[in-house]
Every structure is written in C-alpha cells, then in structure tokens.
Amino acid sequence: AVVSTQSGHYGRGSFYSSRVGNPAIVDDFKGKYAAVQIPRPADTSSSAINALESEFKAEMADYLTGANERIAKFEGSLAALHAEKPLESMTVEEYLADKPELRARIEEDIASRAL
C-alpha cells in the first residue's frame, strides 16, 4: 500500500503563499510535496492476530463459565460448613455422621491396629 501526502499537513499553502516573496516557489514545493508517496508494508499479520484473539476470547469465555461454576460449588460447600455445629461442641459420631468414607478409613485403621 502507498500513502499519498496530498491529504497531508500541507493544507496551509495560502499561508505560505502570502508570506513568501515568490509564490512560484510555494507552488513548486506544493506540487513536489503532493507527489511524494510513502510505501507502506502490506498487512500480513492482522488476520492471524484476529484469529488468535477470537480463539483466546472463546477459551476465556469457557474458562469463566467453569470458574463461575466452581465458585458456586465452593460457596455451597462454605455455606454447608457454616451451617454445621462448631467442632468444639461436636462429638466424633456427629462429625462422622455425614462422612462415611472417613468413618470407614478410621474404622479400618482401628481394626488394623487391634491387639
């Protein structure tokens, strides 16, 4: 792509024409300035970057959905812990009442150590 300077910063030609003694010099400069073309490299990366951005946004949306689900699960677990009786006033039987796996491991451990 080539960028033309015609719409560039030389919009004040009348300012210079009124200040310079020879207006032909200003017209000559204006013509040369308008003829300047600046080559710009072709954009070969934007499409790949946009594809990566779209993929990343989709991954983040999935991650946020999973994170929100985990947060809700943890908040439920925390609410259940707050609803329990304080450990200081709970018996071992009360503590193990809703933890059958832990009860089984403890009973197995006790049985393996029996005399």
PDB file of all heavy atoms in Angstrom, residues 59-75:
ATOM      1  N   GLU A  59     -11.816 -19.263  24.517  1.00  0.00           N
ATOM      2  CA  GLU A  59     -11.236 -20.023  25.628  1.00  0.00           C
ATOM      3  C   GLU A  59     -11.523 -19.345  26.969  1.00  0.00           C
ATOM      4  O   GLU A  59     -11.849 -20.003  27.952  1.00  0.00           O
ATOM      5  CB  GLU A  59      -9.725 -20.171  25.443  1.00  0.00           C
ATOM      6  CG  GLU A  59      -9.315 -21.120  24.348  1.00  0.00           C
ATOM      7  CD  GLU A  59      -7.806 -21.141  24.136  1.00  0.00           C
ATOM      8  OE1 GLU A  59      -7.068 -20.598  24.985  1.00  0.00           O
ATOM      9  OE2 GLU A  59      -7.374 -21.699  23.120  1.00  0.00           O
ATOM     10  N   MET A  60     -11.405 -18.037  26.998  1.00  0.00           N
ATOM     11  CA  MET A  60     -11.642 -17.305  28.247  1.00  0.00           C
ATOM     12  C   MET A  60     -13.114 -17.363  28.648  1.00  0.00           C
ATOM     13  O   MET A  60     -13.439 -17.446  29.829  1.00  0.00           O
ATOM     14  CB  MET A  60     -11.191 -15.848  28.123  1.00  0.00           C
ATOM     15  CG  MET A  60      -9.689 -15.687  28.130  1.00  0.00           C
ATOM     16  SD  MET A  60      -8.901 -16.344  29.627  1.00  0.00           S
ATOM     17  CE  MET A  60      -8.293 -17.930  29.061  1.00  0.00           C
ATOM     18  N   ALA A  61     -14.016 -17.341  27.676  1.00  0.00           N
ATOM     19  CA  ALA A  61     -15.434 -17.453  27.978  1.00  0.00           C
ATOM     20  C   ALA A  61     -15.719 -18.823  28.607  1.00  0.00           C
ATOM     21  O   ALA A  61     -16.453 -18.918  29.606  1.00  0.00           O
ATOM     22  CB  ALA A  61     -16.277 -17.255  26.716  1.00  0.00           C
ATOM     23  N   ASP A  62     -15.119 -19.887  28.047  1.00  0.00           N
ATOM     24  CA  ASP A  62     -15.278 -21.227  28.621  1.00  0.00           C
ATOM     25  C   ASP A  62     -14.676 -21.286  30.020  1.00  0.00           C
ATOM     26  O   ASP A  62     -15.265 -21.862  30.939  1.00  0.00           O
ATOM     27  CB  ASP A  62     -14.604 -22.289  27.736  1.00  0.00           C
ATOM     28  CG  ASP A  62     -15.320 -22.485  26.415  1.00  0.00           C
ATOM     29  OD1 ASP A  62     -16.489 -22.054  26.304  1.00  0.00           O
ATOM     30  OD2 ASP A  62     -14.709 -23.065  25.501  1.00  0.00           O
ATOM     31  N   TYR A  63     -13.506 -20.698  30.181  1.00  0.00           N
ATOM     32  CA  TYR A  63     -12.848 -20.698  31.491  1.00  0.00           C
ATOM     33  C   TYR A  63     -13.695 -19.963  32.519  1.00  0.00           C
ATOM     34  O   TYR A  63     -13.867 -20.437  33.647  1.00  0.00           O
ATOM     35  CB  TYR A  63     -11.462 -20.058  31.396  1.00  0.00           C
ATOM     36  CG  TYR A  63     -10.782 -19.954  32.739  1.00  0.00           C
ATOM     37  CD1 TYR A  63     -10.160 -21.053  33.303  1.00  0.00           C
ATOM     38  CD2 TYR A  63     -10.807 -18.765  33.455  1.00  0.00           C
ATOM     39  CE1 TYR A  63      -9.573 -20.971  34.544  1.00  0.00           C
ATOM     40  CE2 TYR A  63     -10.222 -18.670  34.699  1.00  0.00           C
ATOM     41  CZ  TYR A  63      -9.596 -19.772  35.240  1.00  0.00           C
ATOM     42  OH  TYR A  63      -9.019 -19.686  36.481  1.00  0.00           O
ATOM     43  N   LEU A  64     -14.232 -18.810  32.138  1.00  0.00           N
ATOM     44  CA  LEU A  64     -15.049 -18.044  33.079  1.00  0.00           C
ATOM     45  C   LEU A  64     -16.323 -18.791  33.455  1.00  0.00           C
ATOM     46  O   LEU A  64     -16.752 -18.734  34.607  1.00  0.00           O
ATOM     47  CB  LEU A  64     -15.396 -16.671  32.487  1.00  0.00           C
ATOM     48  CG  LEU A  64     -14.242 -15.675  32.437  1.00  0.00           C
ATOM     49  CD1 LEU A  64     -14.659 -14.410  31.708  1.00  0.00           C
ATOM     50  CD2 LEU A  64     -13.743 -15.350  33.826  1.00  0.00           C
ATOM     51  N   THR A  65     -16.904 -19.500  32.500  1.00  0.00           N
ATOM     52  CA  THR A  65     -18.092 -20.299  32.808  1.00  0.00           C
ATOM     53  C   THR A  65     -17.738 -21.369  33.837  1.00  0.00           C
ATOM     54  O   THR A  65     -18.444 -21.541  34.838  1.00  0.00           O
ATOM     55  CB  THR A  65     -18.641 -20.953  31.522  1.00  0.00           C
ATOM     56  OG1 THR A  65     -18.976 -19.926  30.602  1.00  0.00           O
ATOM     57  CG2 THR A  65     -19.861 -21.808  31.824  1.00  0.00           C
ATOM     58  N   GLY A  66     -16.630 -22.074  33.611  1.00  0.00           N
ATOM     59  CA  GLY A  66     -16.190 -23.094  34.564  1.00  0.00           C
ATOM     60  C   GLY A  66     -15.826 -22.493  35.908  1.00  0.00           C
ATOM     61  O   GLY A  66     -16.132 -23.066  36.964  1.00  0.00           O
ATOM     62  N   ALA A  67     -15.178 -21.336  35.896  1.00  0.00           N
ATOM     63  CA  ALA A  67     -14.789 -20.678  37.144  1.00  0.00           C
ATOM     64  C   ALA A  67     -16.021 -20.283  37.944  1.00  0.00           C
ATOM     65  O   ALA A  67     -16.063 -20.468  39.167  1.00  0.00           O
ATOM     66  CB  ALA A  67     -13.925 -19.455  36.848  1.00  0.00           C
ATOM     67  N   ASN A  68     -17.026 -19.758  37.266  1.00  0.00           N
ATOM     68  CA  ASN A  68     -18.254 -19.377  37.966  1.00  0.00           C
ATOM     69  C   ASN A  68     -18.962 -20.600  38.545  1.00  0.00           C
ATOM     70  O   ASN A  68     -19.526 -20.533  39.645  1.00  0.00           O
ATOM     71  CB  ASN A  68     -19.178 -18.595  37.042  1.00  0.00           C
ATOM     72  CG  ASN A  68     -18.649 -17.206  36.751  1.00  0.00           C
ATOM     73  OD1 ASN A  68     -17.920 -16.636  37.556  1.00  0.00           O
ATOM     74  ND2 ASN A  68     -19.010 -16.656  35.607  1.00  0.00           N
ATOM     75  N   GLU A  69     -18.905 -21.717  37.830  1.00  0.00           N
ATOM     76  CA  GLU A  69     -19.494 -22.958  38.352  1.00  0.00           C
ATOM     77  C   GLU A  69     -18.727 -23.422  39.590  1.00  0.00           C
ATOM     78  O   GLU A  69     -19.331 -23.838  40.591  1.00  0.00           O
ATOM     79  CB  GLU A  69     -19.481 -24.053  37.281  1.00  0.00           C
ATOM     80  CG  GLU A  69     -20.445 -23.795  36.143  1.00  0.00           C
ATOM     81  CD  GLU A  69     -20.265 -24.765  34.987  1.00  0.00           C
ATOM     82  OE1 GLU A  69     -19.365 -25.645  35.035  1.00  0.00           O
ATOM     83  OE2 GLU A  69     -21.035 -24.641  34.017  1.00  0.00           O
ATOM     84  N   ARG A  70     -17.392 -23.362  39.537  1.00  0.00           N
ATOM     85  CA  ARG A  70     -16.585 -23.759  40.700  1.00  0.00           C
ATOM     86  C   ARG A  70     -16.830 -22.832  41.884  1.00  0.00           C
ATOM     87  O   ARG A  70     -16.916 -23.281  43.023  1.00  0.00           O
ATOM     88  CB  ARG A  70     -15.099 -23.786  40.326  1.00  0.00           C
ATOM     89  CG  ARG A  70     -14.724 -24.938  39.395  1.00  0.00           C
ATOM     90  CD  ARG A  70     -13.221 -25.055  39.175  1.00  0.00           C
ATOM     91  NE  ARG A  70     -12.606 -23.877  38.591  1.00  0.00           N
ATOM     92  CZ  ARG A  70     -12.572 -23.597  37.290  1.00  0.00           C
ATOM     93  NH1 ARG A  70     -13.135 -24.426  36.429  1.00  0.00           N
ATOM     94  NH2 ARG A  70     -11.970 -22.507  36.855  1.00  0.00           N
ATOM     95  N   ILE A  71     -16.964 -21.533  41.608  1.00  0.00           N
ATOM     96  CA  ILE A  71     -17.232 -20.580  42.685  1.00  0.00           C
ATOM     97  C   ILE A  71     -18.560 -20.914  43.360  1.00  0.00           C
ATOM     98  O   ILE A  71     -18.657 -20.916  44.591  1.00  0.00           O
ATOM     99  CB  ILE A  71     -17.229 -19.132  42.139  1.00  0.00           C
ATOM    100  CG1 ILE A  71     -15.799 -18.706  41.799  1.00  0.00           C
ATOM    101  CG2 ILE A  71     -17.850 -18.163  43.144  1.00  0.00           C
ATOM    102  CD1 ILE A  71     -15.716 -17.396  41.035  1.00  0.00           C
ATOM    103  N   ALA A  72     -19.575 -21.195  42.552  1.00  0.00           N
ATOM    104  CA  ALA A  72     -20.886 -21.545  43.118  1.00  0.00           C
ATOM    105  C   ALA A  72     -20.781 -22.816  43.959  1.00  0.00           C
ATOM    106  O   ALA A  72     -21.377 -22.901  45.045  1.00  0.00           O
ATOM    107  CB  ALA A  72     -21.907 -21.720  41.999  1.00  0.00           C
ATOM    108  N   LYS A  73     -20.006 -23.788  43.474  1.00  0.00           N
ATOM    109  CA  LYS A  73     -19.827 -25.038  44.227  1.00  0.00           C
ATOM    110  C   LYS A  73     -19.122 -24.754  45.553  1.00  0.00           C
ATOM    111  O   LYS A  73     -19.530 -25.253  46.604  1.00  0.00           O
ATOM    112  CB  LYS A  73     -19.005 -26.018  43.381  1.00  0.00           C
ATOM    113  CG  LYS A  73     -18.695 -27.321  44.071  1.00  0.00           C
ATOM    114  CD  LYS A  73     -17.805 -28.194  43.189  1.00  0.00           C
ATOM    115  CE  LYS A  73     -17.248 -29.349  43.970  1.00  0.00           C
ATOM    116  NZ  LYS A  73     -16.242 -30.087  43.229  1.00  0.00           N
ATOM    117  N   PHE A  74     -18.058 -23.948  45.525  1.00  0.00           N
ATOM    118  CA  PHE A  74     -17.322 -23.636  46.750  1.00  0.00           C
ATOM    119  C   PHE A  74     -18.170 -22.825  47.722  1.00  0.00           C
ATOM    120  O   PHE A  74     -18.093 -23.020  48.935  1.00  0.00           O
ATOM    121  CB  PHE A  74     -16.029 -22.886  46.427  1.00  0.00           C
ATOM    122  CG  PHE A  74     -15.026 -23.712  45.666  1.00  0.00           C
ATOM    123  CD1 PHE A  74     -14.270 -23.143  44.666  1.00  0.00           C
ATOM    124  CD2 PHE A  74     -14.835 -25.058  45.947  1.00  0.00           C
ATOM    125  CE1 PHE A  74     -13.340 -23.893  43.963  1.00  0.00           C
ATOM    126  CE2 PHE A  74     -13.913 -25.821  45.255  1.00  0.00           C
ATOM    127  CZ  PHE A  74     -13.164 -25.236  44.251  1.00  0.00           C
ATOM    128  N   GLU A  75     -18.977 -21.920  47.203  1.00  0.00           N
ATOM    129  CA  GLU A  75     -19.857 -21.142  48.070  1.00  0.00           C
ATOM    130  C   GLU A  75     -20.875 -22.057  48.747  1.00  0.00           C
ATOM    131  O   GLU A  75     -21.206 -21.867  49.918  1.00  0.00           O
ATOM    132  CB  GLU A  75     -20.562 -20.039  47.287  1.00  0.00           C
ATOM    133  CG  GLU A  75     -19.646 -18.882  46.946  1.00  0.00           C
ATOM    134  CD  GLU A  75     -20.288 -17.831  46.050  1.00  0.00           C
ATOM    135  OE1 GLU A  75     -21.333 -18.121  45.421  1.00  0.00           O
ATOM    136  OE2 GLU A  75     -19.736 -16.728  45.982  1.00  0.00           O
TER     137      GLU A  75
END
